[in-house]
Amino acid sequence: MISHDRFSLRQSEDQLDVMVRWALRSNMAGASPPSHNWDRIRDRLRRRGKRGGFYQDWRRFREFLDALLKKDLFFPPQQNYCFECSVKNSMEQHWPYLFVCQLELPMVWAKVV
Amino acid sequence: MAAGMTADSRLITRIRDGDIEALGDLYERYKAQVYRTALAITHDERMSEDILQETFLRVYNYADSFDTSRPLGPWLYRITVNLAYSWTNRAKRWVSFFQGAVERLKAPDHLYPERVAEERERSQALQQAIDTLPTPQRVVVILYYLEDLSVSDIAYVVGVPEGTVKSRLYYARKKLKEAIVERGQGVKPEVVYDFT
């Protein structure tokens, strides 16, 4: 197994490290953005008006969704007992068992007769 | 970038209240690092300017999501690197990415032309070798050597485990060493690696 702990301890750097650092820094020496860059950022922000963005929009959407769910618009609670509903629910839950029973019932009936 | 964390936190708090001037202060503080990192990855000045703008626009938009108990630097680098990744990938569809990269990064001339030429040649050779690294390795090399980020910070910025960062650095160094030895740039052959 290779240990790469030398990268955590910078004091063990060698000539290659020095050369790579020097090459990168000499190529980037004096690199700075043009002065008008900040003006563009500020203009874009002012044009857009108050702070917004995806994160805030997403937060607002989630709050809106939470409010909707609390009002039970999508999933209304079954406050009143409904016999038909309960039968339908139980049939939906146990349909394979009912299906089997339905197949066997005539045979059972025939035996009884 | 780690220094001045409390000042950064104060600025972030002001930005959350919609203070554009606070963003301006933050921009002045970090523009060079962000721009340099973007330029080192993309090698495109226009794209780097756009990345710089977009980074600070995102800081403004997502200031609510930033944990002010943590240093701001790695978060900024993370945004920058993510943007640079996606934008260079987009640009690669249309243009050859490495074409003419070295020429665009030429340093200005100095007083000693022969020494400058020699230094430039060595620097460019190494820069070319860095440019030929796969993007994940190149990004790690830039953050480690150019921006002096720690391995743990790079892991956060790039979104990989620390072991992966060390592995990428190891293989990048290996490739760079081979490239330099091929060109006869004079790196000592006994570059030490720890094997356990």
Side-chain angles (χ1 to χ4, degrees):
Chain A
M1 190 185 158
I2 304 166
S3 166
H4 306 302
D5 282 344
R6 65 183 307 283
F7 298 117
S8 302
L9 310 163
R10 283 178 182 263
Q11 63 264 31
S12 61
E13 291 197 341
D14 58 19
Q15 195 189 354
L16 182 63
D17 291 310
V18 175
M19 281 183 73
V20 172
R21 183 171 287 113
W22 166 74
L24 281 169
R25 288 186 180 174
S26 62
N27 277 324
M28 287 298 144
S32 64
S35 54
H36 59 77
N37 221 41
W38 167 245
D39 298 333
R40 286 184 182 169
I41 296 171
R42 196 178 47 201
D43 290 347
R44 281 174 71 178
L45 288 172
R46 284 184 178 159
R47 234 179 294 134
R48 205 177 54 189
K50 63 173 190 169
R51 259 185 92 234
F54 174 77
Y55 182 78
Q56 287 205 331
D57 291 344
W58 172 243
R59 199 174 57 181
R60 274 192 222 113
F61 175 70
R62 266 179 27 202
E63 285 168 3
F64 171 72
L65 204 64
D66 285 347
L68 276 183
L69 289 172
K70 276 176 192 164
K71 283 183 180 173
D72 301 317
L73 287 176
F74 292 142
F75 308 108
Q78 293 179 348
Q79 289 169 344
N80 302 320
Y81 180 73
C82 166
F83 177 72
E84 283 177 15
C85 298
S86 68
V87 169
K88 194 182 165 194
N89 284 344
S90 63
M91 281 179 75
E92 280 173 355
Q93 282 173 16
H94 305 293
W95 69 267
Y97 178 71
L98 291 172
F99 183 65
V100 171
C101 287
Q102 197 179 13
L103 287 176
E104 286 179 354
L105 199 62
M107 294 169 70
V108 173
W109 183 246
K111 281 183 184 176
V112 170
V113 172
Chain B
M1 274 204 189
M5 189 187 127
T6 49
D8 290 346
S9 302
R10 278 198 294 273
L11 287 174
I12 289 288
T13 310
R14 282 170 56 196
I15 290 167
R16 282 175 182 166
D17 296 333
D19 188 345
I20 295 177
E21 296 312 313
L23 186 74
D25 293 346
L26 206 70
Y27 174 84
E28 284 302 318
R29 198 181 278 241
Y30 290 111
K31 66 178 179 184
Q33 289 98 316
V34 170
Y35 179 73
R36 193 172 56 212
T37 307
L39 187 61
I41 296 170
T42 62
H43 295 308
D44 188 315
E45 287 177 6
R46 289 292 301 275
M47 198 188 285
S48 303
E49 288 170 26
D50 290 344
I51 288 171
L52 178 65
Q53 285 183 32
E54 192 58 36
T55 299
F56 281 91
L57 286 171
R58 286 192 184 194
V59 168
Y60 192 75
N61 289 337
Y62 295 90
D64 287 326
S65 67
F66 176 67
D67 178 5
T68 47
S69 64
R70 300 184 66 177
L72 180 70
W75 188 54
L76 275 178
Y77 278 120
R78 190 174 174 139
I79 299 172
T80 309
V81 168
N82 283 337
L83 284 170
Y85 258 133
S86 55
W87 289 28
T88 44
N89 286 338
R90 210 181 302 161
K92 266 182 189 173
R93 293 175 203 154
W94 304 101
V95 291
S96 171
F97 172 59
F98 294 110
Q99 212 169 26
V102 176
E103 281 73 19
R104 285 199 295 273
L105 291 167
K106 272 182 182 172
D109 287 334
H110 295 290
L111 294 172
Y112 307 101
E114 66 287 341
R115 214 178 92 190
V116 168
E118 190 188 330
E119 280 194 355
R120 185 186 287 170
E121 195 184 328
R122 291 180 69 183
S123 165
Q124 283 182 354
L126 198 50
Q127 182 65 51
Q128 274 181 331
I130 294 167
D131 289 346
T132 55
L133 292 172
T135 309
Q137 287 179 12
R138 198 157 48 84
V139 167
V140 166
V141 164
I142 288 163
L143 294 174
Y144 186 78
Y145 289 108
L146 183 66
E147 299 302 325
D148 271 336
L149 258 64
S150 69
V151 169
S152 59
D153 279 348
I154 296 172
Y156 167 75
V157 169
V158 184
V160 295
E162 285 186 30
T164 309
V165 173
K166 288 178 186 177
S167 165
R168 284 181 187 175
L169 277 171
Y170 170 81
Y171 286 108
R173 271 176 52 92
K174 202 175 170 188
K175 283 180 192 164
L176 290 176
K177 186 192 154 198
E178 284 166 6
I180 291 165
V181 169
E182 265 178 34
R183 287 167 183 269
Q185 292 289 326
V187 173
K188 288 177 189 170
E190 63 276 12
V191 174
V192 179
Y193 296 110
D194 295 328
F195 294 88
T196 55

